[in-house]
Amino acid sequence: MQLDRTLAPDFRTIETVQFPTPQSVVLDNGQPLYVINVGEQPVVRLEVLFEAGTWHEQVEGASFFTVKMLSEGTQNHTSAQISGHFDQIGAFLELSHTPDRANVMVYGLTKHLETILEMVSEMLHEATFPEKEFNDIRNITLQNLRVNLEKSAYVATNTFKERLFGSAHPYGRVQKEERITALLTSDLENFYHQRIKARPFRVFLSGQVGEAEIALVNRFLGQHSVSEPLLPTITPEIVSQTESYWLDKEDAVQSSVRVGRRLFKRQHPDFYRMVVANEVFGGYFGSRLMKNIREEKGFTYGISASVVPMRQEGYWVVGTDVKKEFAQATLDEIQREIGIMQNEFVPAEELEVVKNYLAGEFAGSLNTPFEIADRVRLMVLEGLDVDFYSNYIQRLRVVTAEDIQSMAQQYWKWEELQRVIVG
């Protein structure tokens, strides 16, 4: 039978997604290992996470550079040798840092897991922080920072977060040239000993893995004794501002616009209602902001609104880049669209389209073992209920037009929103 491509395929509404349950293992030294054994290809991703983000540093910038320096030299290997070790087996090393934590991640073939673990263990326990490599990374970071500071979008995003949380808060803190320049390798070594070497960690192993791979992780990462960090985590004060901020750059052709406010974490009872309200407003290509500001007014190529939940806090932001002369008009249209959502119910057909889009987007984000592992990691690190993702679609489906109006009225009061325009 020949396929008739003039006919659209049957449409089915996604009501639920079966979310796999990870296997939980305790290593010999008491540290948790979470195993996501899914996938048909013999590949693996190893993640080792530490409570070593910006929240935990006493010297600004120490967390970022400590993590970056883990692969720059150990007692037995140089930076080039470490890089060659992973290249030889076709593995990819990624060292990342957030305000909340530090992450060592390696992708590779399952058959090379032992070789991967051998070097990862050495990096975590025998890093040496050589001066030359530190200066190289610092110079590259400073060069990138100087380039980014010429970009209106970069400045607008950083300024927005600074004004939401305060420049001293981990969620509002941004890279500053003078702080980077003042850092010493001793600052990194101190942070390494305080937060990484022989300190608590979590391991996530995903891909085509089984008992043999679990045993390897235990052999390389489960035999070192672990003790609590030397210094407690400081809970910083939030110093936020609400008045508008407009930075005029004479040579700028475009203005970067950011509008939003502090919000909440995923555990908040309004989280699902806000996700749906945000999607209607500006969360996808068919949203109201896109139809108005891109398609009707032609002010921009793209505008989006996002709910950004984090471990300790969260925020909501609308972001776009527009021609300089359209900046104020763009703000006016954002305010007008907010007013409509505050005073009118979202039509049933529009709401159903958004819910179907969210359901399909969620289902499509679980195609690979590594995408599933990302969700598992989030559940573990943020202490979410075991059914958070299993019931995710059902919780979105019960959101009503009344709920959406309530979210707009409660959280999108124009006078309470931070407005930043750079350009």
Side-chain angles (χ1 to χ4, degrees):
M1 180 178 177
Q2 189 173 4
L3 181 65
D4 187 352
R5 298 188 181 277
T6 64
L7 300 176
D10 292 337
F11 175 83
R12 288 192 303 168
T13 300
I14 300 174
E15 298 293 342
T16 184
V17 170
Q18 199 66 32
F19 192 78
T21 302
Q23 179 184 358
S24 181
V25 177
V26 178
L27 303 179
D28 287 349
N29 56 7
Q31 302 309 292
L33 163 64
Y34 301 92
V35 182
I36 302 92
N37 181 22
V38 293
E40 299 177 357
Q41 302 300 319
V43 293
V44 65
R45 186 176 81 181
L46 172 76
E47 296 178 80
V48 188
L49 288 96
F50 295 85
E51 297 296 310
T54 312
W55 276 89
H56 311 287
E57 62 185 16
Q58 276 66 48
V59 178
E60 287 192 28
S63 171
F64 172 84
F65 283 97
T66 298
V67 175
K68 294 297 182 185
M69 285 291 294
L70 290 178
S71 63
E72 296 302 316
T74 66
Q75 293 176 14
N76 297 315
H77 293 88
T78 65
S79 172
Q81 289 171 334
I82 293 172
S83 177
H85 180 93
F86 290 114
D87 288 345
Q88 189 175 18
I89 58 173
F92 175 71
L93 170 68
E94 183 178 299
L95 302 172
S96 60
H97 157 278
T98 71
D100 293 309
R101 60 188 67 91
N103 186 1
V104 177
M105 181 184 298
V106 187
Y107 297 84
L109 295 176
T110 305
K111 67 179 181 180
H112 294 315
L113 180 59
E114 181 174 1
T115 306
I116 291 170
L117 281 162
E118 181 181 19
M119 186 56 74
V120 168
S121 177
E122 187 174 314
M123 289 162 50
L124 297 179
H125 295 95
E126 300 176 11
T128 55
F129 301 94
E131 192 76 32
K132 178 187 179 301
E133 281 74 7
F134 172 55
N135 286 330
D136 289 344
I137 289 180
R138 173 161 53 189
N139 289 336
I140 291 171
T141 303
L142 286 170
Q143 185 177 2
N144 290 337
L145 178 60
R146 290 164 188 152
V147 171
N148 285 331
L149 288 174
E150 297 299 315
K151 301 175 182 176
S152 296
Y154 179 87
V155 176
T157 296
N158 281 354
T159 302
F160 176 76
K161 289 190 286 188
E162 276 188 303
R163 294 174 69 82
L164 281 190
F165 297 101
S167 59
H169 193 280
Y171 290 160
R173 194 179 303 165
V174 299
Q175 286 187 330
K176 302 287 186 182
E177 185 168 337
E178 62 273 16
R179 294 169 186 164
I180 295 173
T181 304
L183 272 173
L184 305 172
T185 53
S186 58
D187 296 325
L188 314 189
E189 291 169 353
N190 289 337
F191 189 78
Y192 171 67
H193 286 282
Q194 290 164 3
R195 282 285 163 180
I196 295 178
K197 183 175 181 178
R199 301 303 172 190
F201 60 87
R202 295 182 176 95
V203 185
F204 295 82
L205 189 67
S206 54
Q208 198 176 87
V209 294
E211 293 303 319
E213 287 70 36
I214 292 172
L216 282 173
V217 174
N218 190 47
R219 175 178 144 201
F220 283 96
L221 300 181
Q223 305 308 309
H224 297 275
S225 60
V226 172
S227 57
E228 289 302 311
L230 297 176
L231 297 173
T233 300
I234 299 172
T235 302
E237 179 184 1
I238 293 176
V239 182
S240 58
Q241 304 175 57
T242 54
E243 67 273 14
S244 295
Y245 176 87
W246 200 304
L247 175 62
D248 184 50
K249 301 178 74 173
E250 291 184 6
D251 58 340
V253 176
Q254 286 191 318
S255 291
S256 294
V257 178
R258 303 291 183 269
V259 177
R261 57 163 294 160
R262 281 174 43 221
L263 209 55
F264 39 66
K265 303 183 289 183
R266 289 177 177 83
Q267 294 90 334
H268 195 279
D270 284 339
F271 174 74
Y272 294 97
R273 290 188 281 271
M274 180 56 75
V275 166
V276 179
N278 176 78
E279 205 71 14
V280 172
F281 184 64
Y284 75 120
F285 197 80
S287 69
R288 293 185 175 191
L289 287 181
M290 284 291 282
K291 289 177 180 176
N292 179 340
I293 296 172
R294 174 192 156 98
E295 296 178 18
E296 295 176 11
K297 303 295 188 303
F299 290 167
T300 181
Y301 284 111
I303 183 170
S304 64
S306 305
V307 177
V308 186
M310 298 175 289
R311 186 175 185 178
Q312 309 288 350
E313 285 274 343
Y315 62 91
W316 175 72
V317 60
V318 177
T320 187
D321 295 317
V322 300
K323 290 187 70 174
K324 198 171 182 179
E325 58 265 33
F326 296 146
Q328 183 58 56
T330 299
L331 284 176
D332 293 341
E333 290 304 317
I334 293 172
Q335 184 178 11
R336 189 173 77 84
E337 291 293 344
I338 287 175
I340 292 172
M341 292 193 67
Q342 290 171 333
N343 294 294
E344 300 176 11
F345 288 146
V346 176
E349 183 179 355
E350 181 183 6
L351 183 54
E352 186 63 19
V353 168
V354 167
K355 288 180 179 180
N356 287 335
Y357 175 83
L358 285 168
E361 183 184 48
F362 176 70
S365 71
L366 301 174
N367 286 329
T368 72
F370 304 147
E371 289 173 331
I372 296 170
D374 288 340
R375 305 282 185 174
V376 171
R377 179 183 60 200
L378 189 65
M379 289 171 59
V380 170
L381 296 178
E382 299 199 3
L384 301 173
D385 295 338
V386 293
D387 64 348
F388 182 83
Y389 284 120
S390 296
N391 296 332
Y392 188 80
I393 293 176
Q394 295 95 313
R395 289 169 175 166
L396 294 176
R397 290 235 174 252
V398 299
V399 174
T400 66
E402 290 82 358
D403 291 331
I404 291 174
Q405 184 184 57
S406 174
M407 294 298 97
Q409 292 173 346
Q410 182 175 351
Y411 295 108
W412 297 346
K413 297 174 182 175
W414 189 250
E415 66 276 8
E416 295 180 359
L417 299 182
Q418 174 65 240
R419 299 181 289 282
V420 171
I421 303 92
V422 176

